[in-house]
Amino acid sequence: MTLVRAFLLSCVVALVAMPASAYTFPTPKGFDNRVAFWKNVYAVWSVNQIAFHDDQDFDIVYRVVKVPARGKTVKGKTRKQAIKAAKEELVAALDRLAKKKPTSAKGLSGVDKDVFLALKNVKRKDKYKRKNHIRLQNGLRERFRHGWTQAGAFEGQVRAYLKKAGHPEDLVALAYVESLMTLKVRSHAGAQGIWQFMPATGREYMQINEVLDERNDPILATIAAGKYLNTALKKVGPWPVAITSYNYGRAGVRRLIKQAKSNDLAVILKKAKAKRFGFAGRNYYASFLAVTQVLKNPQAYFPGAKQIAPWSYDVVRLPKAVKATALTKKGAVNKADLKRLNPALRYDARRGKLTLPAGIPLRIPKGTSSTFMAKAGSLKGKSKKSKAPGSYKVRRGDSLYRVAQKFKVSRTALAQANGISRNAGLRRGQRLKIPGHKVRYSLLPEARGMAMPASVDTGVRLASSTSHAKKGEEVKVAMADATPAKKRRTRRHTKRKRAVDKAREQEHGRVKVTLVSSVAVMEPPSTELPAVDAMVGDLALPTVDVLTMAAPVEGVTPAHEVPDVSADAPDELPTS
């Protein structure tokens, strides 16, 4: 073995042996100015400060202007008017400086002097002639500080589950980039939760149904994010491109790698050309690195700030199918605690418009499990049966395969129910009959080894989702006492995503199932950095603040979902 090979082997061994928490994410060549810019965005500039900068050269920050808060006016100008006036002043100043070509600040004043001093150390000759590359960016300091303080409730668990998935716990910074660690936040495209999963990708890894949207649970979403990133590392390469794929998509990043003939992100940014690979995708990893640096020493940026206390709770499984309002009226759990500790519960489920199924796991305040079970057990149970919708209206981008995945039925069964071929195309607005399917509710991590309550209602069951399993992994699915006919129906699982190879009844009412396939569905690439404003060119967007707080988020119509076309996909095309 040569010395070079021995050295490389020692490096690999050292990397594998390195604890996840000690890992340092690599900084690609030429990224220092980008990272410094985003540190200013997250931890220095206020939400009422607008940075006018070059969208390609991050050494060029022309000026940072204070503007009125949203809905306020200063000197008769609204926020939008103040931003527009500041940009016009900057463009005029650049025109004057381009003609004068000053070598010192002598004789300059006002905006001209400010811009000259800001660009004094910038070497490029066209620094005053790039007005077409002006981009506006507001600061996020207050929002980042608030998100960091509130994240104390669950950030420790998020880090722990990232580490359990084999990732560096500092990967938590990615959740800050996505959502500023704000629960129940949604994007304009329909992404939700601290990890901002789109509906399609959320269904690949979590449960989204009438009662639950697990994208909003920080722990369940973190487990899903860990699995997504494991796949990204295998399919697209090292951390810089794997993290970029979280914004741009795995298929998109693979195309960029193919164009650049390299998986080095610095090379990709220089060589790859893609219309949709815009400002957000090109700066996603740099913003991530900036957040990791801020989180290393938050007190340096937010002196005196403290994170709130971690969640303290018990996990119980509901003994009967009842409404949440019945639980709160009975005093089993406080309404505010139910909402705070169970963010995956949908609005209608919390408000009593839907019945919570027997066996569903809930977080409740620490030390109240005995009282909860006693009071919940004394309630009269509701008869809850999972019903498939009578029909489904085909939307843009749908295919027979996609609809079958959505309702967890086989494509063959769906085709037969509608009298069409398995490979038939669908037209927008077409109505499809949906054969019966089972709605499933997965378990919180602490509840996955917990037996069903003894007092569970006959015929009402809760099955843990196979979406948390890996291919070939055996998963136990808890099932309450039921009639033989219902048990037979329970064994009829689809053989595709979240499908089972065989269902066999075990002792204590348990069924062992095996996941036999997994089909990846990718979200479309985001057009802007999720928690960050983007105003490009001639003030295309009227406002700067983009973090949208939803109340309630459950009513949001899911955005159009795009499959990962470069993955192994069925032989059919979606509707146009």
Side-chain angles (χ1 to χ4, degrees), residues 14-15 34 113 179 189 237 344 384 421 441 448 470 487 569 571:
L15 184 61
R34 292 176 184 261
K113 184 177 181 179
S179 66
K384 177 167 172 42
S421 164
Y441 303 89
R448 285 174 187 159
K470 298 177 181 178
K487 287 182 179 179
D571 53 348

Side-chain angles (χ1 to χ4, degrees), residues 202-454:
R203 292 187 182 97
E204 181 184 352
Y205 294 98
M206 294 172 282
Q207 291 296 307
I208 302 176
N209 51 52
E210 60 180 0
V211 174
L212 295 174
D213 189 337
E214 292 183 351
R215 295 178 296 167
N216 292 316
D217 187 289
I219 310 307
L220 295 175
T222 296
I223 294 171
K227 292 180 178 181
Y228 174 92
L229 289 165
N230 271 326
T231 303
L233 286 168
K234 293 175 183 177
K235 289 192 173 185
V236 303
W239 276 118
V241 288
I243 287 175
T244 300
S245 80
Y246 200 88
N247 172 266
Y248 192 63
R250 293 187 294 249
V253 169
R254 285 199 296 271
R255 287 192 292 270
L256 295 175
I257 291 172
K258 186 176 180 180
Q259 287 179 7
K261 297 180 180 179
S262 171
N263 62 7
D264 184 323
L265 185 58
V267 176
I268 290 173
L269 294 184
K270 187 176 181 180
K271 293 185 176 181
K273 305 290 183 183
K275 204 170 186 180
R276 300 178 74 188
F277 191 49
F279 184 85
R282 300 177 75 86
N283 286 277
Y284 193 75
Y285 185 66
S287 64
F288 165 79
L289 290 177
V291 173
T292 62
Q293 294 182 20
V294 173
L295 293 179
K296 292 288 186 184
N297 190 11
Q299 288 300 322
Y301 300 94
F302 313 114
K306 294 181 179 179
Q307 289 190 311
I308 64 174
W311 277 346
S312 179
Y313 57 82
D314 293 335
V315 174
V316 295
R317 296 186 68 177
L318 193 62
K320 295 182 178 181
V322 296
K323 292 185 176 180
T325 48
L327 293 172
T328 55
K329 288 178 181 178
K330 189 71 174 179
V333 63
N334 180 277
K335 185 190 299 184
D337 288 332
L338 183 67
K339 178 181 179 180
R340 175 177 61 88
L341 295 173
N342 301 277
L345 280 179
R346 286 185 178 271
Y347 181 81
D348 285 348
R350 292 198 319 269
R351 293 303 178 94
K353 295 181 180 180
L354 295 171
T355 300
L356 302 180
I360 190 172
L362 298 172
R363 299 187 186 100
I364 58 174
K366 188 76 172 176
T368 64
S369 55
S370 298
T371 302
F372 177 91
M373 294 302 285
K375 292 186 176 182
S378 67
L379 294 169
K380 184 177 180 182
K382 300 283 184 180
S383 176
K384 177 167 172 42
K385 297 180 180 179
S386 298
K387 295 181 179 179
S391 65
Y392 172 75
K393 187 177 180 180
V394 174
R395 293 183 292 180
R396 181 180 179 182
D398 278 339
S399 66
L400 196 67
Y401 175 80
R402 296 275 316 276
V403 176
Q405 290 290 298
K406 179 181 178 68
F407 292 102
K408 301 180 178 65
V409 297
S410 72
R411 184 167 50 164
T412 300
L414 183 60
Q416 290 176 347
N418 290 275
I420 57 178
S421 164
R422 289 178 74 253
N423 295 318
L426 302 178
R427 66 179 184 278
R428 191 174 179 180
Q430 180 180 351
R431 285 280 178 183
L432 294 177
K433 295 179 181 178
I434 308 298
H437 73 291
K438 303 290 187 296
V439 175
R440 302 192 181 281
Y441 303 89
S442 64
L443 304 177
L444 298 172
E446 301 93 337
R448 285 174 187 159
M450 189 182 296
M452 288 288 287

Side-chain angles (χ1 to χ4, degrees), residues 14-248:
L15 184 61
V16 172
M18 183 184 295
S21 58
Y23 182 79
T24 300
F25 289 94
T27 301
K29 184 179 179 180
F31 261 54
D32 290 340
N33 56 354
R34 292 176 184 261
V35 175
F37 175 85
W38 289 109
K39 281 175 68 176
N40 285 332
V41 171
Y42 286 112
V44 178
W45 295 331
S46 163
V47 293
N48 293 326
Q49 286 181 301
I50 306 298
F52 292 78
H53 70 99
D54 191 283
D55 64 355
Q56 295 178 353
D57 189 338
F58 286 86
D59 283 331
I60 300 179
V61 178
Y62 300 102
R63 62 192 304 219
V64 179
V65 180
K66 187 174 182 179
V67 297
R70 185 183 296 278
K72 304 290 184 180
T73 58
V74 174
K75 295 182 180 180
K77 291 182 179 178
T78 64
R79 184 183 181 94
K80 181 179 177 180
Q81 290 169 341
I83 292 172
K84 184 177 181 181
K87 184 178 180 182
E88 290 171 350
E89 290 175 352
L90 173 60
V91 171
L94 288 173
D95 288 338
R96 289 191 293 268
L97 290 170
K99 291 178 181 179
K100 293 179 181 179
K101 298 179 181 178
T103 57
S104 72
K106 188 177 180 179
L108 300 178
S109 61
V111 180
D112 293 27
K113 184 177 181 179
D114 293 341
V115 173
F116 172 81
L117 293 175
L119 305 188
K120 183 173 63 173
N121 297 322
V122 177
K123 302 300 182 183
R124 60 187 305 157
K125 295 180 180 179
D126 65 343
K127 60 184 178 182
Y128 300 133
K129 300 178 180 180
R130 296 179 59 80
K131 59 185 179 182
N132 291 333
H133 290 278
I134 294 175
R135 181 181 178 276
L136 284 65
Q137 174 64 57
N138 67 282
L140 290 168
R141 186 184 68 227
E142 297 90 340
R143 290 181 176 179
F144 192 101
R145 184 184 187 276
H146 177 74
W148 179 78
T149 58
Q150 298 302 306
F154 49 82
E155 185 174 324
Q157 288 180 279
V158 169
R159 289 176 177 270
Y161 277 103
L162 287 172
K163 192 174 179 180
K164 188 175 181 181
H167 299 313
E169 61 182 63
D170 287 342
L171 197 60
V172 69
L174 194 60
Y176 278 91
V177 174
E178 286 290 325
S179 66
L180 297 180
M181 286 290 268
T182 305
L183 291 175
K184 293 275 184 162
V185 64
R186 66 175 175 84
S187 74
H188 299 298
Q192 293 187 26
I194 66 169
W195 289 97
Q196 288 290 282
F197 275 98
M198 290 290 288
T201 316
R203 292 187 182 97
E204 181 184 352
Y205 294 98
M206 294 172 282
Q207 291 296 307
I208 302 176
N209 51 52
E210 60 180 0
V211 174
L212 295 174
D213 189 337
E214 292 183 351
R215 295 178 296 167
N216 292 316
D217 187 289
I219 310 307
L220 295 175
T222 296
I223 294 171
K227 292 180 178 181
Y228 174 92
L229 289 165
N230 271 326
T231 303
L233 286 168
K234 293 175 183 177
K235 289 192 173 185
V236 303
W239 276 118
V241 288
I243 287 175
T244 300
S245 80
Y246 200 88
N247 172 266
Y248 192 63

